[in-house]
Amino acid sequence: MTNTGGAPGGEGADTPTPSQGIPQAPAPGSGEPKPPEDHAESPATPPRGWQAPDTQATPPSGWQAPGPQAAPPPGWQAPNQPPPYGGPQYAPQPPQPRWNPHGLGKPGVIALRPLNIGDILDGAITAIRRHPLLILGIGAVMAVITAAITFVLQKYAMAELQGFASTVQLGPAATEAELRNALFGTFGDVFLVLISSILISTLLLTVTTGLMAAVMGRAALGREVTLGIAWREVQPRLLPLLGVAFVYALLSTIGVMLCIVPGVLVWVFWALAAPALVLERGTFRQALARSVKLVGGAFWRVFGILLLARIIESFFEEIIQLPFALGTGLFGQMFNPGKVTVPDTGDLLLQSAGQIVSGTIAIPFVALVTVIVYLDQRMRREGMDIELARAAGVQPPQAW
């Protein structure tokens, strides 16, 4: 058989023939097995951008090979990284305390925390709104007693006032001695009536403060309070309460007569004696000492609150008594100062009616403000808010 290929190493050497011992690829369907492919000899074409695993790419600038890391500086802590397994476990940080407007809660008419002036005035008004029959009933009784005593004193002073009016009506016929005696006698009696009215009103207000202390002691805890409950609280200490009220009213009045400063000092430093006596169940001396101790260091604050309460009381009383004064001849005295007007019994009764109406609300208001000031001073200095919260069964807020 003739070999058609060229000489070895010539032009046809690139194409082998069957005679050179290289088997031909079997035809499809011939039944002969396909020899295994050697991937090492003919690797597949890698995709664009691919790199062999054993070939290391040039790392970017700033990259550091993994290995033992340098120790961090002392006190450094990685942010927001949990501790490794098996390491120390740290408890989550508790929430930061937030301000609560009610402190340890508000089970009753006041919040259990140190109070400001607005809280104290609001607490007094809230107590009147929640217990109107009890509080206004006590205020009405005290207002009736005050008005009755004032009516008797005014009737006593009317005799001298009528004598002064008759002397003034004489005109030039009256001698200088008669005018001087009538003037000093009348003003002396008026001054005596004024001082007696202040003494009696302060005495009754102090007794009312002691009664309101028993009411507020339960109202601050949100508990039920009735006249019977308040009376059972005050009755064992009624005589010491009357003693405290009498000494407080007498010394403060005498202090105002002699000099304003001593009267103000007594009025402020012993203002909290009645609540201390009732709520702490102490003695006469202990109540006065406790009042001085609680007011000490906060004199101007207590003085300002009590003075503001008295100003509100006076303004309210003037507004209420104005319609009653219009029906008497005393209101016309303002427009005719030269005329001496002597009120009759009807005018005095009308004034007393206005005094009862205004005092029914004004007297309990001032008494409640005084009691709340006492509670506020104890919460500020002695942690009484915690004791009140425990007594009321109130759990402290979780934010604290």
Side-chain angles (χ1 to χ4, degrees), residues 142 145-146 149 195-211 238-253 267 274 310 363:
M142 295 301 173
I145 297 175
T146 304
I149 297 176
I195 293 300
S196 301
S197 300
I198 295 175
L199 176 64
I200 293 172
S201 62
T202 306
L203 174 66
L204 295 177
L205 179 61
T206 307
V207 175
T208 307
T209 303
L211 295 174
L238 184 60
L239 291 179
L241 178 61
L242 292 175
V244 169
F246 178 78
V247 172
Y248 174 66
L250 181 62
L251 294 182
S252 60
T253 305
W267 177 60
R310 286 301 185 97
I363 293 176

PDB file of all heavy atoms in Angstrom, residues 142 145-146 149 195-211 238-253 267 274 310 363:
ATOM      1  N   MET A 142     -65.717  76.763 111.959  1.00  0.00           N
ATOM      2  CA  MET A 142     -64.745  77.747 112.436  1.00  0.00           C
ATOM      3  C   MET A 142     -65.110  79.155 111.994  1.00  0.00           C
ATOM      4  O   MET A 142     -64.906  80.126 112.742  1.00  0.00           O
ATOM      5  CB  MET A 142     -63.352  77.383 111.922  1.00  0.00           C
ATOM      6  CG  MET A 142     -62.822  76.074 112.474  1.00  0.00           C
ATOM      7  SD  MET A 142     -62.721  76.112 114.291  1.00  0.00           S
ATOM      8  CE  MET A 142     -62.285  74.420 114.649  1.00  0.00           C
ATOM      9  N   ILE A 145     -67.901  80.464 114.320  1.00  0.00           N
ATOM     10  CA  ILE A 145     -67.367  80.853 115.638  1.00  0.00           C
ATOM     11  C   ILE A 145     -66.619  82.184 115.541  1.00  0.00           C
ATOM     12  O   ILE A 145     -66.788  83.083 116.389  1.00  0.00           O
ATOM     13  CB  ILE A 145     -66.462  79.741 116.193  1.00  0.00           C
ATOM     14  CG1 ILE A 145     -67.271  78.461 116.410  1.00  0.00           C
ATOM     15  CG2 ILE A 145     -65.809  80.183 117.488  1.00  0.00           C
ATOM     16  CD1 ILE A 145     -66.431  77.279 116.842  1.00  0.00           C
ATOM     17  N   THR A 146     -65.799  82.320 114.495  1.00  0.00           N
ATOM     18  CA  THR A 146     -65.047  83.567 114.322  1.00  0.00           C
ATOM     19  C   THR A 146     -65.974  84.752 114.108  1.00  0.00           C
ATOM     20  O   THR A 146     -65.785  85.833 114.704  1.00  0.00           O
ATOM     21  CB  THR A 146     -64.073  83.428 113.147  1.00  0.00           C
ATOM     22  OG1 THR A 146     -63.225  82.297 113.351  1.00  0.00           O
ATOM     23  CG2 THR A 146     -63.234  84.675 112.993  1.00  0.00           C
ATOM     24  N   ILE A 149     -67.841  85.760 117.450  1.00  0.00           N
ATOM     25  CA  ILE A 149     -67.005  86.492 118.402  1.00  0.00           C
ATOM     26  C   ILE A 149     -66.708  87.902 117.881  1.00  0.00           C
ATOM     27  O   ILE A 149     -66.724  88.889 118.646  1.00  0.00           O
ATOM     28  CB  ILE A 149     -65.712  85.712 118.672  1.00  0.00           C
ATOM     29  CG1 ILE A 149     -66.035  84.364 119.329  1.00  0.00           C
ATOM     30  CG2 ILE A 149     -64.770  86.514 119.551  1.00  0.00           C
ATOM     31  CD1 ILE A 149     -64.837  83.484 119.551  1.00  0.00           C
ATOM     32  N   ILE A 195     -57.073  93.845 117.672  1.00  0.00           N
ATOM     33  CA  ILE A 195     -56.115  92.900 118.239  1.00  0.00           C
ATOM     34  C   ILE A 195     -56.837  91.638 118.722  1.00  0.00           C
ATOM     35  O   ILE A 195     -56.362  90.511 118.537  1.00  0.00           O
ATOM     36  CB  ILE A 195     -55.314  93.554 119.369  1.00  0.00           C
ATOM     37  CG1 ILE A 195     -54.420  94.649 118.809  1.00  0.00           C
ATOM     38  CG2 ILE A 195     -54.491  92.522 120.111  1.00  0.00           C
ATOM     39  CD1 ILE A 195     -53.412  94.173 117.794  1.00  0.00           C
ATOM     40  N   SER A 196     -58.003  91.822 119.336  1.00  0.00           N
ATOM     41  CA  SER A 196     -58.764  90.658 119.813  1.00  0.00           C
ATOM     42  C   SER A 196     -59.214  89.790 118.643  1.00  0.00           C
ATOM     43  O   SER A 196     -59.185  88.550 118.729  1.00  0.00           O
ATOM     44  CB  SER A 196     -59.965  91.125 120.628  1.00  0.00           C
ATOM     45  OG  SER A 196     -59.558  91.902 121.743  1.00  0.00           O
ATOM     46  N   SER A 197     -59.619  90.415 117.550  1.00  0.00           N
ATOM     47  CA  SER A 197     -60.031  89.640 116.373  1.00  0.00           C
ATOM     48  C   SER A 197     -58.862  88.854 115.794  1.00  0.00           C
ATOM     49  O   SER A 197     -59.014  87.684 115.401  1.00  0.00           O
ATOM     50  CB  SER A 197     -60.614  90.580 115.317  1.00  0.00           C
ATOM     51  OG  SER A 197     -61.737  91.273 115.806  1.00  0.00           O
ATOM     52  N   ILE A 198     -57.667  89.474 115.742  1.00  0.00           N
ATOM     53  CA  ILE A 198     -56.483  88.769 115.235  1.00  0.00           C
ATOM     54  C   ILE A 198     -56.138  87.593 116.141  1.00  0.00           C
ATOM     55  O   ILE A 198     -55.813  86.491 115.662  1.00  0.00           O
ATOM     56  CB  ILE A 198     -55.303  89.739 115.113  1.00  0.00           C
ATOM     57  CG1 ILE A 198     -55.596  90.814 114.057  1.00  0.00           C
ATOM     58  CG2 ILE A 198     -54.024  88.984 114.770  1.00  0.00           C
ATOM     59  CD1 ILE A 198     -54.522  91.868 113.960  1.00  0.00           C
ATOM     60  N   LEU A 199     -56.209  87.821 117.454  1.00  0.00           N
ATOM     61  CA  LEU A 199     -55.891  86.752 118.402  1.00  0.00           C
ATOM     62  C   LEU A 199     -56.853  85.572 118.245  1.00  0.00           C
ATOM     63  O   LEU A 199     -56.435  84.404 118.190  1.00  0.00           O
ATOM     64  CB  LEU A 199     -55.937  87.302 119.824  1.00  0.00           C
ATOM     65  CG  LEU A 199     -55.711  86.295 120.963  1.00  0.00           C
ATOM     66  CD1 LEU A 199     -54.302  85.717 120.878  1.00  0.00           C
ATOM     67  CD2 LEU A 199     -55.947  86.961 122.310  1.00  0.00           C
ATOM     68  N   ILE A 200     -58.140  85.881 118.144  1.00  0.00           N
ATOM     69  CA  ILE A 200     -59.144  84.806 118.041  1.00  0.00           C
ATOM     70  C   ILE A 200     -59.041  84.093 116.702  1.00  0.00           C
ATOM     71  O   ILE A 200     -59.114  82.851 116.630  1.00  0.00           O
ATOM     72  CB  ILE A 200     -60.546  85.395 118.258  1.00  0.00           C
ATOM     73  CG1 ILE A 200     -60.685  85.895 119.709  1.00  0.00           C
ATOM     74  CG2 ILE A 200     -61.621  84.364 117.955  1.00  0.00           C
ATOM     75  CD1 ILE A 200     -61.956  86.661 119.968  1.00  0.00           C
ATOM     76  N   SER A 201     -58.853  84.834 115.627  1.00  0.00           N
ATOM     77  CA  SER A 201     -58.740  84.192 114.308  1.00  0.00           C
ATOM     78  C   SER A 201     -57.500  83.314 114.209  1.00  0.00           C
ATOM     79  O   SER A 201     -57.539  82.219 113.629  1.00  0.00           O
ATOM     80  CB  SER A 201     -58.714  85.264 113.217  1.00  0.00           C
ATOM     81  OG  SER A 201     -57.593  86.115 113.369  1.00  0.00           O
ATOM     82  N   THR A 202     -56.386  83.770 114.802  1.00  0.00           N
ATOM     83  CA  THR A 202     -55.175  82.945 114.796  1.00  0.00           C
ATOM     84  C   THR A 202     -55.355  81.691 115.642  1.00  0.00           C
ATOM     85  O   THR A 202     -54.895  80.595 115.261  1.00  0.00           O
ATOM     86  CB  THR A 202     -53.983  83.756 115.318  1.00  0.00           C
ATOM     87  OG1 THR A 202     -53.862  84.967 114.567  1.00  0.00           O
ATOM     88  CG2 THR A 202     -52.695  82.960 115.205  1.00  0.00           C
ATOM     89  N   LEU A 203     -56.031  81.827 116.764  1.00  0.00           N
ATOM     90  CA  LEU A 203     -56.300  80.675 117.622  1.00  0.00           C
ATOM     91  C   LEU A 203     -57.150  79.636 116.894  1.00  0.00           C
ATOM     92  O   LEU A 203     -56.825  78.440 116.859  1.00  0.00           O
ATOM     93  CB  LEU A 203     -56.985  81.146 118.898  1.00  0.00           C
ATOM     94  CG  LEU A 203     -57.484  80.043 119.858  1.00  0.00           C
ATOM     95  CD1 LEU A 203     -56.311  79.270 120.439  1.00  0.00           C
ATOM     96  CD2 LEU A 203     -58.330  80.650 120.977  1.00  0.00           C
ATOM     97  N   LEU A 204     -58.235  80.077 116.287  1.00  0.00           N
ATOM     98  CA  LEU A 204     -59.122  79.138 115.587  1.00  0.00           C
ATOM     99  C   LEU A 204     -58.450  78.566 114.338  1.00  0.00           C
ATOM    100  O   LEU A 204     -58.676  77.402 113.989  1.00  0.00           O
ATOM    101  CB  LEU A 204     -60.430  79.836 115.221  1.00  0.00           C
ATOM    102  CG  LEU A 204     -61.297  80.282 116.410  1.00  0.00           C
ATOM    103  CD1 LEU A 204     -62.529  81.026 115.924  1.00  0.00           C
ATOM    104  CD2 LEU A 204     -61.703  79.080 117.260  1.00  0.00           C
ATOM    105  N   LEU A 205     -57.637  79.368 113.675  1.00  0.00           N
ATOM    106  CA  LEU A 205     -56.935  78.855 112.498  1.00  0.00           C
ATOM    107  C   LEU A 205     -55.942  77.774 112.882  1.00  0.00           C
ATOM    108  O   LEU A 205     -55.778  76.785 112.162  1.00  0.00           O
ATOM    109  CB  LEU A 205     -56.229  80.006 111.784  1.00  0.00           C
ATOM    110  CG  LEU A 205     -55.429  79.633 110.530  1.00  0.00           C
ATOM    111  CD1 LEU A 205     -56.326  79.015 109.471  1.00  0.00           C
ATOM    112  CD2 LEU A 205     -54.697  80.853 109.971  1.00  0.00           C
ATOM    113  N   THR A 206     -55.278  77.936 114.013  1.00  0.00           N
ATOM    114  CA  THR A 206     -54.325  76.914 114.465  1.00  0.00           C
ATOM    115  C   THR A 206     -55.043  75.619 114.825  1.00  0.00           C
ATOM    116  O   THR A 206     -54.565  74.516 114.505  1.00  0.00           O
ATOM    117  CB  THR A 206     -53.531  77.431 115.664  1.00  0.00           C
ATOM    118  OG1 THR A 206     -52.939  78.695 115.343  1.00  0.00           O
ATOM    119  CG2 THR A 206     -52.441  76.457 116.055  1.00  0.00           C
ATOM    120  N   VAL A 207     -56.199  75.738 115.478  1.00  0.00           N
ATOM    121  CA  VAL A 207     -56.986  74.536 115.778  1.00  0.00           C
ATOM    122  C   VAL A 207     -57.450  73.873 114.484  1.00  0.00           C
ATOM    123  O   VAL A 207     -57.415  72.641 114.345  1.00  0.00           O
ATOM    124  CB  VAL A 207     -58.175  74.901 116.681  1.00  0.00           C
ATOM    125  CG1 VAL A 207     -59.067  73.691 116.901  1.00  0.00           C
ATOM    126  CG2 VAL A 207     -57.692  75.444 118.016  1.00  0.00           C
ATOM    127  N   THR A 208     -57.878  74.687 113.514  1.00  0.00           N
ATOM    128  CA  THR A 208     -58.280  74.135 112.209  1.00  0.00           C
ATOM    129  C   THR A 208     -57.114  73.440 111.525  1.00  0.00           C
ATOM    130  O   THR A 208     -57.284  72.405 110.874  1.00  0.00           O
ATOM    131  CB  THR A 208     -58.823  75.254 111.315  1.00  0.00           C
ATOM    132  OG1 THR A 208     -59.851  75.964 112.002  1.00  0.00           O
ATOM    133  CG2 THR A 208     -59.388  74.689 110.022  1.00  0.00           C
ATOM    134  N   THR A 209     -55.912  73.992 111.673  1.00  0.00           N
ATOM    135  CA  THR A 209     -54.727  73.359 111.084  1.00  0.00           C
ATOM    136  C   THR A 209     -54.485  71.986 111.687  1.00  0.00           C
ATOM    137  O   THR A 209     -54.115  71.033 110.971  1.00  0.00           O
ATOM    138  CB  THR A 209     -53.506  74.260 111.282  1.00  0.00           C
ATOM    139  OG1 THR A 209     -53.758  75.552 110.715  1.00  0.00           O
ATOM    140  CG2 THR A 209     -52.275  73.655 110.620  1.00  0.00           C
ATOM    141  N   GLY A 210     -54.686  71.857 112.991  1.00  0.00           N
ATOM    142  CA  GLY A 210     -54.554  70.541 113.610  1.00  0.00           C
ATOM    143  C   GLY A 210     -55.577  69.552 113.100  1.00  0.00           C
ATOM    144  O   GLY A 210     -55.259  68.375 112.853  1.00  0.00           O
ATOM    145  N   LEU A 211     -56.813  70.013 112.901  1.00  0.00           N
ATOM    146  CA  LEU A 211     -57.834  69.121 112.341  1.00  0.00           C
ATOM    147  C   LEU A 211     -57.510  68.749 110.899  1.00  0.00           C
ATOM    148  O   LEU A 211     -57.681  67.594 110.492  1.00  0.00           O
ATOM    149  CB  LEU A 211     -59.206  69.800 112.418  1.00  0.00           C
ATOM    150  CG  LEU A 211     -59.754  70.074 113.830  1.00  0.00           C
ATOM    151  CD1 LEU A 211     -61.045  70.878 113.742  1.00  0.00           C
ATOM    152  CD2 LEU A 211     -59.990  68.777 114.582  1.00  0.00           C
ATOM    153  N   LEU A 238     -56.293  66.915 121.898  1.00  0.00           N
ATOM    154  CA  LEU A 238     -57.052  68.156 121.790  1.00  0.00           C
ATOM    155  C   LEU A 238     -56.539  69.224 122.756  1.00  0.00           C
ATOM    156  O   LEU A 238     -56.354  70.383 122.366  1.00  0.00           O
ATOM    157  CB  LEU A 238     -58.542  67.882 122.022  1.00  0.00           C
ATOM    158  CG  LEU A 238     -59.472  69.080 121.848  1.00  0.00           C
ATOM    159  CD1 LEU A 238     -59.363  69.637 120.432  1.00  0.00           C
ATOM    160  CD2 LEU A 238     -60.916  68.675 122.148  1.00  0.00           C
ATOM    161  N   LEU A 239     -56.317  68.875 124.014  1.00  0.00           N
ATOM    162  CA  LEU A 239     -55.830  69.858 124.993  1.00  0.00           C
ATOM    163  C   LEU A 239     -54.442  70.392 124.632  1.00  0.00           C
ATOM    164  O   LEU A 239     -54.220  71.618 124.666  1.00  0.00           O
ATOM    165  CB  LEU A 239     -55.842  69.252 126.392  1.00  0.00           C
ATOM    166  CG  LEU A 239     -57.232  68.992 126.998  1.00  0.00           C
ATOM    167  CD1 LEU A 239     -57.096  68.375 128.388  1.00  0.00           C
ATOM    168  CD2 LEU A 239     -58.054  70.278 127.052  1.00  0.00           C
ATOM    169  N   PRO A 240     -53.462  69.531 124.297  1.00  0.00           N
ATOM    170  CA  PRO A 240     -52.176  70.102 123.838  1.00  0.00           C
ATOM    171  C   PRO A 240     -52.326  70.967 122.589  1.00  0.00           C
ATOM    172  O   PRO A 240     -51.616  71.972 122.446  1.00  0.00           O
ATOM    173  CB  PRO A 240     -51.315  68.862 123.566  1.00  0.00           C
ATOM    174  CG  PRO A 240     -51.903  67.802 124.414  1.00  0.00           C
ATOM    175  CD  PRO A 240     -53.371  68.068 124.430  1.00  0.00           C
ATOM    176  N   LEU A 241     -53.258  70.582 121.696  1.00  0.00           N
ATOM    177  CA  LEU A 241     -53.469  71.395 120.493  1.00  0.00           C
ATOM    178  C   LEU A 241     -54.008  72.776 120.854  1.00  0.00           C
ATOM    179  O   LEU A 241     -53.572  73.793 120.300  1.00  0.00           O
ATOM    180  CB  LEU A 241     -54.427  70.672 119.549  1.00  0.00           C
ATOM    181  CG  LEU A 241     -54.805  71.415 118.258  1.00  0.00           C
ATOM    182  CD1 LEU A 241     -53.564  71.674 117.414  1.00  0.00           C
ATOM    183  CD2 LEU A 241     -55.827  70.606 117.466  1.00  0.00           C
ATOM    184  N   LEU A 242     -54.960  72.836 121.780  1.00  0.00           N
ATOM    185  CA  LEU A 242     -55.474  74.133 122.222  1.00  0.00           C
ATOM    186  C   LEU A 242     -54.378  74.953 122.895  1.00  0.00           C
ATOM    187  O   LEU A 242     -54.315  76.180 122.731  1.00  0.00           O
ATOM    188  CB  LEU A 242     -56.651  73.930 123.177  1.00  0.00           C
ATOM    189  CG  LEU A 242     -57.925  73.335 122.558  1.00  0.00           C
ATOM    190  CD1 LEU A 242     -58.974  73.073 123.640  1.00  0.00           C
ATOM    191  CD2 LEU A 242     -58.473  74.256 121.478  1.00  0.00           C
ATOM    192  N   GLY A 243     -53.497  74.286 123.664  1.00  0.00           N
ATOM    193  CA  GLY A 243     -52.393  75.001 124.289  1.00  0.00           C
ATOM    194  C   GLY A 243     -51.427  75.573 123.267  1.00  0.00           C
ATOM    195  O   GLY A 243     -50.993  76.735 123.379  1.00  0.00           O
ATOM    196  N   VAL A 244     -51.087  74.782 122.269  1.00  0.00           N
ATOM    197  CA  VAL A 244     -50.203  75.262 121.203  1.00  0.00           C
ATOM    198  C   VAL A 244     -50.854  76.429 120.463  1.00  0.00           C
ATOM    199  O   VAL A 244     -50.199  77.443 120.161  1.00  0.00           O
ATOM    200  CB  VAL A 244     -49.866  74.114 120.231  1.00  0.00           C
ATOM    201  CG1 VAL A 244     -49.186  74.646 118.970  1.00  0.00           C
ATOM    202  CG2 VAL A 244     -48.960  73.098 120.912  1.00  0.00           C
ATOM    203  N   ALA A 245     -52.144  76.310 120.178  1.00  0.00           N
ATOM    204  CA  ALA A 245     -52.836  77.371 119.455  1.00  0.00           C
ATOM    205  C   ALA A 245     -52.879  78.660 120.269  1.00  0.00           C
ATOM    206  O   ALA A 245     -52.667  79.760 119.724  1.00  0.00           O
ATOM    207  CB  ALA A 245     -54.258  76.911 119.106  1.00  0.00           C
ATOM    208  N   PHE A 246     -53.138  78.557 121.566  1.00  0.00           N
ATOM    209  CA  PHE A 246     -53.230  79.762 122.403  1.00  0.00           C
ATOM    210  C   PHE A 246     -51.869  80.445 122.520  1.00  0.00           C
ATOM    211  O   PHE A 246     -51.757  81.667 122.350  1.00  0.00           O
ATOM    212  CB  PHE A 246     -53.764  79.390 123.796  1.00  0.00           C
ATOM    213  CG  PHE A 246     -53.844  80.558 124.729  1.00  0.00           C
ATOM    214  CD1 PHE A 246     -54.871  81.474 124.631  1.00  0.00           C
ATOM    215  CD2 PHE A 246     -52.878  80.728 125.722  1.00  0.00           C
ATOM    216  CE1 PHE A 246     -54.935  82.554 125.486  1.00  0.00           C
ATOM    217  CE2 PHE A 246     -52.951  81.806 126.597  1.00  0.00           C
ATOM    218  CZ  PHE A 246     -53.978  82.723 126.470  1.00  0.00           C
ATOM    219  N   VAL A 247     -50.813  79.698 122.802  1.00  0.00           N
ATOM    220  CA  VAL A 247     -49.476  80.290 122.946  1.00  0.00           C
ATOM    221  C   VAL A 247     -49.011  80.879 121.610  1.00  0.00           C
ATOM    222  O   VAL A 247     -48.449  81.995 121.568  1.00  0.00           O
ATOM    223  CB  VAL A 247     -48.490  79.234 123.467  1.00  0.00           C
ATOM    224  CG1 VAL A 247     -47.067  79.770 123.448  1.00  0.00           C
ATOM    225  CG2 VAL A 247     -48.873  78.798 124.868  1.00  0.00           C
ATOM    226  N   TYR A 248     -49.253  80.164 120.544  1.00  0.00           N
ATOM    227  CA  TYR A 248     -48.839  80.640 119.220  1.00  0.00           C
ATOM    228  C   TYR A 248     -49.564  81.932 118.855  1.00  0.00           C
ATOM    229  O   TYR A 248     -48.955  82.906 118.379  1.00  0.00           O
ATOM    230  CB  TYR A 248     -49.104  79.550 118.192  1.00  0.00           C
ATOM    231  CG  TYR A 248     -48.844  79.959 116.762  1.00  0.00           C
ATOM    232  CD1 TYR A 248     -47.553  80.255 116.331  1.00  0.00           C
ATOM    233  CD2 TYR A 248     -49.873  80.032 115.832  1.00  0.00           C
ATOM    234  CE1 TYR A 248     -47.307  80.620 115.025  1.00  0.00           C
ATOM    235  CE2 TYR A 248     -49.645  80.398 114.524  1.00  0.00           C
ATOM    236  CZ  TYR A 248     -48.361  80.703 114.120  1.00  0.00           C
ATOM    237  OH  TYR A 248     -48.118  81.069 112.835  1.00  0.00           O
ATOM    238  N   ALA A 249     -50.885  81.961 119.081  1.00  0.00           N
ATOM    239  CA  ALA A 249     -51.665  83.161 118.749  1.00  0.00           C
ATOM    240  C   ALA A 249     -51.289  84.326 119.648  1.00  0.00           C
ATOM    241  O   ALA A 249     -51.154  85.477 119.185  1.00  0.00           O
ATOM    242  CB  ALA A 249     -53.159  82.844 118.857  1.00  0.00           C
ATOM    243  N   LEU A 250     -51.099  84.081 120.930  1.00  0.00           N
ATOM    244  CA  LEU A 250     -50.798  85.164 121.868  1.00  0.00           C
ATOM    245  C   LEU A 250     -49.437  85.786 121.587  1.00  0.00           C
ATOM    246  O   LEU A 250     -49.302  87.026 121.482  1.00  0.00           O
ATOM    247  CB  LEU A 250     -50.858  84.632 123.300  1.00  0.00           C
ATOM    248  CG  LEU A 250     -50.586  85.643 124.415  1.00  0.00           C
ATOM    249  CD1 LEU A 250     -51.629  86.749 124.402  1.00  0.00           C
ATOM    250  CD2 LEU A 250     -50.541  84.944 125.778  1.00  0.00           C
ATOM    251  N   LEU A 251     -48.405  84.948 121.438  1.00  0.00           N
ATOM    252  CA  LEU A 251     -47.062  85.488 121.242  1.00  0.00           C
ATOM    253  C   LEU A 251     -46.908  86.158 119.881  1.00  0.00           C
ATOM    254  O   LEU A 251     -46.228  87.186 119.771  1.00  0.00           O
ATOM    255  CB  LEU A 251     -46.025  84.374 121.404  1.00  0.00           C
ATOM    256  CG  LEU A 251     -45.911  83.783 122.813  1.00  0.00           C
ATOM    257  CD1 LEU A 251     -44.822  82.723 122.851  1.00  0.00           C
ATOM    258  CD2 LEU A 251     -45.638  84.870 123.843  1.00  0.00           C
ATOM    259  N   SER A 252     -47.511  85.598 118.865  1.00  0.00           N
ATOM    260  CA  SER A 252     -47.418  86.235 117.551  1.00  0.00           C
ATOM    261  C   SER A 252     -48.163  87.566 117.525  1.00  0.00           C
ATOM    262  O   SER A 252     -47.694  88.538 116.915  1.00  0.00           O
ATOM    263  CB  SER A 252     -47.966  85.303 116.470  1.00  0.00           C
ATOM    264  OG  SER A 252     -49.332  84.996 116.719  1.00  0.00           O
ATOM    265  N   THR A 253     -49.294  87.648 118.219  1.00  0.00           N
ATOM    266  CA  THR A 253     -50.035  88.906 118.269  1.00  0.00           C
ATOM    267  C   THR A 253     -49.291  89.958 119.069  1.00  0.00           C
ATOM    268  O   THR A 253     -49.199  91.127 118.660  1.00  0.00           O
ATOM    269  CB  THR A 253     -51.436  88.680 118.866  1.00  0.00           C
ATOM    270  OG1 THR A 253     -52.113  87.672 118.113  1.00  0.00           O
ATOM    271  CG2 THR A 253     -52.249  89.960 118.835  1.00  0.00           C
ATOM    272  N   TRP A 267     -44.418  83.792 114.221  1.00  0.00           N
ATOM    273  CA  TRP A 267     -45.442  83.310 113.291  1.00  0.00           C
ATOM    274  C   TRP A 267     -44.885  82.249 112.340  1.00  0.00           C
ATOM    275  O   TRP A 267     -45.576  81.274 112.013  1.00  0.00           O
ATOM    276  CB  TRP A 267     -45.990  84.501 112.499  1.00  0.00           C
ATOM    277  CG  TRP A 267     -47.004  84.131 111.467  1.00  0.00           C
ATOM    278  CD1 TRP A 267     -48.201  83.512 111.664  1.00  0.00           C
ATOM    279  CD2 TRP A 267     -46.894  84.346 110.059  1.00  0.00           C
ATOM    280  NE1 TRP A 267     -48.853  83.333 110.463  1.00  0.00           N
ATOM    281  CE2 TRP A 267     -48.065  83.844 109.468  1.00  0.00           C
ATOM    282  CE3 TRP A 267     -45.936  84.934 109.245  1.00  0.00           C
ATOM    283  CZ2 TRP A 267     -48.307  83.908 108.096  1.00  0.00           C
ATOM    284  CZ3 TRP A 267     -46.174  85.004 107.879  1.00  0.00           C
ATOM    285  CH2 TRP A 267     -47.341  84.494 107.324  1.00  0.00           C
ATOM    286  N   ALA A 274     -48.736  72.777 115.090  1.00  0.00           N
ATOM    287  CA  ALA A 274     -49.994  72.027 115.147  1.00  0.00           C
ATOM    288  C   ALA A 274     -49.945  70.751 114.311  1.00  0.00           C
ATOM    289  O   ALA A 274     -50.333  69.669 114.792  1.00  0.00           O
ATOM    290  CB  ALA A 274     -51.157  72.922 114.714  1.00  0.00           C
ATOM    291  N   ARG A 310     -51.744  83.681 102.796  1.00  0.00           N
ATOM    292  CA  ARG A 310     -52.523  84.713 103.469  1.00  0.00           C
ATOM    293  C   ARG A 310     -52.983  85.792 102.490  1.00  0.00           C
ATOM    294  O   ARG A 310     -54.100  86.327 102.612  1.00  0.00           O
ATOM    295  CB  ARG A 310     -51.704  85.332 104.595  1.00  0.00           C
ATOM    296  CG  ARG A 310     -51.564  84.442 105.817  1.00  0.00           C
ATOM    297  CD  ARG A 310     -52.940  84.099 106.381  1.00  0.00           C
ATOM    298  NE  ARG A 310     -52.869  83.352 107.612  1.00  0.00           N
ATOM    299  CZ  ARG A 310     -52.970  83.875 108.826  1.00  0.00           C
ATOM    300  NH1 ARG A 310     -53.107  85.180 108.963  1.00  0.00           N
ATOM    301  NH2 ARG A 310     -52.920  83.102 109.889  1.00  0.00           N
ATOM    302  N   ILE A 363     -60.449  79.744 105.366  1.00  0.00           N
ATOM    303  CA  ILE A 363     -59.793  79.168 106.555  1.00  0.00           C
ATOM    304  C   ILE A 363     -59.233  77.773 106.270  1.00  0.00           C
ATOM    305  O   ILE A 363     -58.065  77.493 106.570  1.00  0.00           O
ATOM    306  CB  ILE A 363     -60.761  79.165 107.743  1.00  0.00           C
ATOM    307  CG1 ILE A 363     -61.066  80.598 108.173  1.00  0.00           C
ATOM    308  CG2 ILE A 363     -60.192  78.373 108.917  1.00  0.00           C
ATOM    309  CD1 ILE A 363     -62.091  80.703 109.291  1.00  0.00           C
TER     310      ILE A 363
END
